Amino acid sequence: MHRHSAVSADLGLPVAIAVTFWEMVAISIISIGWVGVTGGSDAFARLGGTVSMLVSDPFAHTPVIGALVWTGVVTTAACCVLEAAVLGEISSADATVIFATEPLWAVLWSFVLLGETLSPSCLLGGALMVSACLVSGSEQSTANQLEDAHGSDALLATQRDASEQAKVETQQHSADQDVRR
């Protein structure tokens, strides 16, 4: 179901980029605030020293700069652009299911890439989440089918009622004309 396809066809990726830009601004402000609150009295001095060290000799710190670019551009900004673009194309029910499965993907990737072990309670929780998503998806599918069926029936009934109303009005108009003669 493409709920917003008319809007996204006109705006599409530029809107997703604008949303991402403001999201990154908010994340930056909150992060700087967090450094100030949790970093102690010299937090900004240490942060400034780190930034100047990276800028003064970037080739000496390529792994750190690479990690910062990867984290900032790929795993944060690019994911936010894709998320904003896709959310404009899907229904809210589908978006809810996608967001509900986010912890499952995190656990799956930590298992596959990092070799994390999954406890029985983790497996049970994952199974419950998958079950809930399947039930939600099947309920949504059933609701859409019923809405489509009832929507078609309601449209036909409305057309039938309008046709009958037009006939009644035509008959009344003819009767009024006969009375006036």
Side-chain angles (χ1 to χ4, degrees), residues 1-6 8 85-95 98 137 139-148:
M1 168 185 268
H2 299 285
R3 297 186 58 142
H4 309 291
S5 58
S8 63
V86 169
L87 287 178
E89 297 292 323
I90 62 175
S91 70
S92 15
D94 291 341
I98 290 169
E139 286 177 355
Q140 183 64 30
S141 175
T142 303
N144 286 342
Q145 289 172 354
L146 288 173
E147 181 181 315
D148 290 345

Side-chain angles (χ1 to χ4, degrees), residues 53-75:
M53 176 185 65
L54 292 173
V55 171
S56 67
D57 192 9
F59 295 109
H61 306 288
T62 52
V64 174
I65 292 174
L68 288 172
V69 168
W70 176 262
T71 303
V73 175
V74 177
T75 65

Side-chain angles (χ1 to χ4, degrees), residues 141-161:
S141 175
T142 303
N144 286 342
Q145 289 172 354
L146 288 173
E147 181 181 315
D148 290 345
H150 290 301
S152 299
D153 292 344
L155 179 61
L156 291 174
T158 303
Q159 290 172 343
R160 188 174 50 245
D161 290 345

Side-chain angles (χ1 to χ4, degrees), residues 91-181:
S91 70
S92 15
D94 291 341
T96 302
V97 170
I98 290 169
F99 281 123
T101 61
E102 188 175 352
L104 293 174
W105 290 108
V107 169
L108 175 70
W109 288 116
S110 70
F111 175 75
V112 170
L113 297 176
L114 302 175
E116 295 282 329
T117 57
L118 304 177
S119 68
S121 62
C122 182
L123 293 171
L124 176 63
L128 288 173
M129 289 178 72
V130 169
S131 300
C133 290
L134 291 174
V135 168
S136 174
S138 68
E139 286 177 355
Q140 183 64 30
S141 175
T142 303
N144 286 342
Q145 289 172 354
L146 288 173
E147 181 181 315
D148 290 345
H150 290 301
S152 299
D153 292 344
L155 179 61
L156 291 174
T158 303
Q159 290 172 343
R160 188 174 50 245
D161 290 345
S163 176
E164 289 174 10
Q165 181 67 27
K167 286 179 188 176
V168 168
E169 288 175 1
T170 302
Q171 290 171 352
Q172 288 176 346
H173 182 68
S174 295
D176 289 343
Q177 292 294 331
D178 290 341
V179 169
R180 289 186 189 155
R181 289 186 198 157

